[in-house]
Amino acid sequence: MTKAKDLLRIDLETGLESRDSRLFVDPGTAAFVDLSDVRLLRCGVDTVRQLYRGMIRPEIMCLFEKPGTLVEFAGERWHAGRVGRDSGYQYKLQNADLGIILLIKNFNAKLENIGPHLKVEVSPHAIDSQSPESLQARMDELAGEVLTHIEQNQCAVHLALDLQGWVPPADLTARMHCRARNVRDISGINELHWDTKSSVYGRGETFMFGSVGGVQLAIYNKTEQARATDKLDYWESVWKRGDSFDEGDPANYDPEQDVWRVELRYHHSIIQQFASGSVDIHTGAVIDTRTFAAFSGHLDGLWRYGMLQFKLLRRPGYFEPIWTLIREDVRVDLPVFSLIDDTAYKRYYKTSKGFSGKNVELFLGNFISLLARECVPAKKAYRCLKQWDCWPVICDHYAAKDMTEAMLFHHIEMLLEERHVRWGRAV
């Protein structure tokens, strides 16, 4: 993508550039944009997901003999139940009062084997009430009650900025530039379950960009969402605390005005890429983190990275001033020392060249044979293929051959047709 530039930030009194000014001027048109009415309420960690590997303790499975009941576990009462296959796990223990969900028994690993059998999900109020170190200790403690031979696997995080005085423009989807290969604009839908690259639903109240398995940007009306889930009282108490970016203004939150949220959601595979590719600029050592507590000092860097991956442009080549403001002036509210100035952030990508590239070709050939045998049409097969965890590797392999997703679909369609013609269907 072409590197975009920021508009100039001008101090009204001196007429000179100022990094702290809310007054922006477009050098091409001389138009002014005043963001002095924008109130940045809070940027915090909205969700933490810590993954663990290990072997499930035999007594744990007894908790799920009667799904939907309350059980005793780790000195607390939990709701035990089954979960859908889309989660990747079979069972859950949930305590909404604690703000913790334990997802147990990975679908793709045998019960009796060591595997990625546990994900601990923590909600905002549990994250907000303790330091990353104490939260990590609590998650590790619960993991030890579920697993033996335990190993911290990786974490996933959601970072959320809440602000007032700004409403997404009607053409936000058209002006948001990102690396997504596909863009869809879907309006008037109350619920959306597709893994699309970009979507708009709920009468323009929610905008989604990116994929669930990568980096995802969500922009939505947090006031309406909090009211719908009966959590508005909690969030108003957070917004009224005065821990905003506008110092000296404890009454920053206006209860008569809607709060909009800009949220970056990082899949655990992306966090792993940062952990494997980012280095300390002083020592050259890779940060190599595995836990939320260890990675928490890097969340400011993660926020800035996301704001550069998704670019809201005012006009070609120039950022919308609000995007400059929230990228440069926002810091994640956590009681940790930020390492953004001491770290060179870079994602490490495992490519599909060489041996794994050969595997992609072999897989596709066998995939086509199975499709023909089961009489599966190309469109349905392609949809299923895109939901597979290895889809990014397949895309990378064919992108290296200058093949777009549309071309890849056509390639699969042609291979399937050739298989039908040469060898027949279901043979």
Side-chain angles (χ1 to χ4, degrees):
M1 288 185 293
T2 304
K3 188 174 182 179
K5 299 178 182 179
D6 296 312
L7 301 190
L8 300 177
R9 303 177 74 167
I10 303 296
D11 185 278
L12 187 60
E13 295 182 1
T14 66
L16 301 176
E17 286 191 54
S18 171
R19 292 178 59 88
D20 300 323
S21 176
R22 293 289 187 91
L23 183 65
F24 293 77
V25 60
D26 190 323
T29 64
F32 285 90
V33 179
D34 186 1
L35 298 182
S36 57
D37 290 335
V38 175
R39 298 182 301 286
L40 306 175
L41 303 178
R42 175 184 180 269
C43 183
V45 181
D46 188 67
T47 303
V48 170
R49 296 188 176 108
Q50 180 68 55
L51 281 66
Y52 296 89
R53 289 180 58 85
M55 183 179 292
I56 299 176
R57 295 180 180 275
E59 63 271 20
I60 294 299
M61 302 313 296
C62 298
L63 301 174
F64 306 107
E65 289 180 350
K66 296 181 179 179
T69 61
L70 296 179
V71 298
E72 195 76 26
F73 170 76
E76 304 282 352
R77 298 286 281 173
W78 301 75
H79 181 267
R82 299 184 69 94
V83 287
R85 193 180 184 90
D86 289 346
S87 70
Y89 296 82
Q90 289 183 258
Y91 306 98
K92 71 172 181 178
L93 292 174
Q94 181 174 4
N95 186 318
D97 191 45
L98 295 177
I100 296 176
I101 299 175
L102 307 178
L103 296 175
I104 300 169
K105 174 55 183 73
N106 191 290
F107 262 109
N108 300 314
K110 293 183 178 180
L111 178 65
E112 62 273 16
N113 293 344
I114 292 176
H117 283 305
L118 176 64
K119 181 193 290 186
V120 181
E121 295 193 3
V122 188
S123 65
H125 76 267
I127 300 167
D128 194 46
S129 63
Q130 52 196 315
S131 68
E133 290 77 14
S134 61
L135 176 60
Q136 189 67 52
R138 179 58 171 153
M139 292 191 293
D140 291 348
E141 179 187 359
L142 291 170
E145 296 284 342
V146 176
L147 303 174
T148 62
H149 305 86
I150 190 170
E151 176 186 348
Q152 294 157 331
N153 205 9
Q154 193 46 271
C155 68
V157 294
H158 294 184
L159 307 177
L161 168 69
D162 296 328
L163 70 161
Q164 288 182 308
W166 175 78
V167 175
D171 60 347
L172 183 139
T173 301
R175 291 199 282 128
M176 183 67 74
H177 290 241
C178 55
R179 294 183 183 275
R181 295 182 178 92
N182 298 327
V183 176
R184 296 182 184 177
D185 187 341
I186 307 168
S187 302
I189 299 175
N190 292 325
E191 282 192 64
L192 190 67
H193 300 287
W194 302 334
D195 183 14
T196 57
K197 297 294 184 181
S198 172
S199 58
V200 182
Y201 59 99
R203 301 180 303 280
E205 293 174 354
T206 300
F207 302 84
M208 301 283 286
F209 304 89
S211 62
V212 174
V215 186
Q216 190 174 52
L217 170 69
I219 301 175
Y220 57 97
N221 188 319
K222 183 59 182 178
T223 299
E224 291 297 324
Q225 190 264 354
R227 184 177 289 117
T229 56
D230 197 26
K231 294 180 180 178
L232 185 57
D233 288 341
Y234 167 74
W235 282 110
E236 285 193 325
S237 71
V238 172
W239 298 327
K240 289 176 181 177
R241 285 196 310 223
D243 53 352
S244 70
F245 304 95
D246 298 328
E247 296 181 3
D249 185 8
N252 204 33
Y253 170 64
D254 179 1
E256 300 301 319
Q257 192 175 50
D258 283 356
V259 173
W260 281 83
R261 169 165 288 190
V262 178
E263 184 172 333
L264 287 169
R265 301 168 181 173
Y266 286 89
H267 190 260
H268 65 85
S269 63
I270 307 300
I271 302 296
Q272 182 58 54
Q273 289 177 352
F274 276 107
S276 301
S278 303
V279 298
D280 186 306
I281 61 175
H282 305 294
T283 66
V286 177
I287 64 174
D288 194 27
T289 58
R290 284 287 185 275
T291 67
F292 169 68
F295 194 79
S296 59
H298 299 285
L299 295 181
D300 283 339
L302 211 62
W303 176 262
R304 185 168 294 180
Y305 174 87
M307 290 296 103
L308 289 170
Q309 287 295 107
F310 300 93
K311 302 179 180 182
L312 180 59
L313 301 184
R314 177 179 178 84
R315 60 184 177 87
Y318 283 90
F319 283 108
E320 183 67 38
I322 186 67
W323 218 245
T324 301
L325 182 69
I326 65 178
R327 186 188 71 238
E328 296 297 324
D329 292 19
V330 166
R331 292 294 180 269
V332 180
D333 180 28
L334 273 183
V336 296
F337 180 75
S338 176
L339 298 171
I340 186 173
D341 296 325
D342 300 310
T343 310
Y345 291 101
K346 185 178 181 181
R347 287 166 64 180
Y348 168 78
Y349 293 91
K350 186 174 181 179
T351 68
S352 59
K353 296 178 181 178
F355 182 73
S356 62
K358 179 182 178 182
N359 281 349
V360 171
E361 299 285 356
L362 291 172
F363 162 76
L364 193 63
N366 291 325
F367 182 60
I368 295 298
S369 295
L370 289 173
L371 293 178
R373 185 176 183 84
E374 299 299 323
C375 298
V376 179
K379 288 185 178 180
K380 181 179 179 181
Y382 190 69
R383 286 198 303 269
C384 294
L385 187 61
K386 292 185 70 173
Q387 295 173 2
W388 191 33
D389 290 343
C390 296
W391 171 247
V393 177
I394 296 172
C395 279
D396 289 345
H397 174 71
Y398 286 103
K401 295 174 176 280
D402 296 323
M403 189 180 291
T404 65
E405 285 193 23
M407 293 167 66
L408 176 55
F409 169 71
H410 182 66
H411 179 58
I412 291 173
E413 198 173 35
M414 293 297 293
L415 288 175
L416 190 57
E417 183 181 15
E418 182 184 14
R419 176 67 169 73
H420 289 160
V421 172
R422 293 187 64 186
W423 307 102
R425 298 171 188 267
V427 177

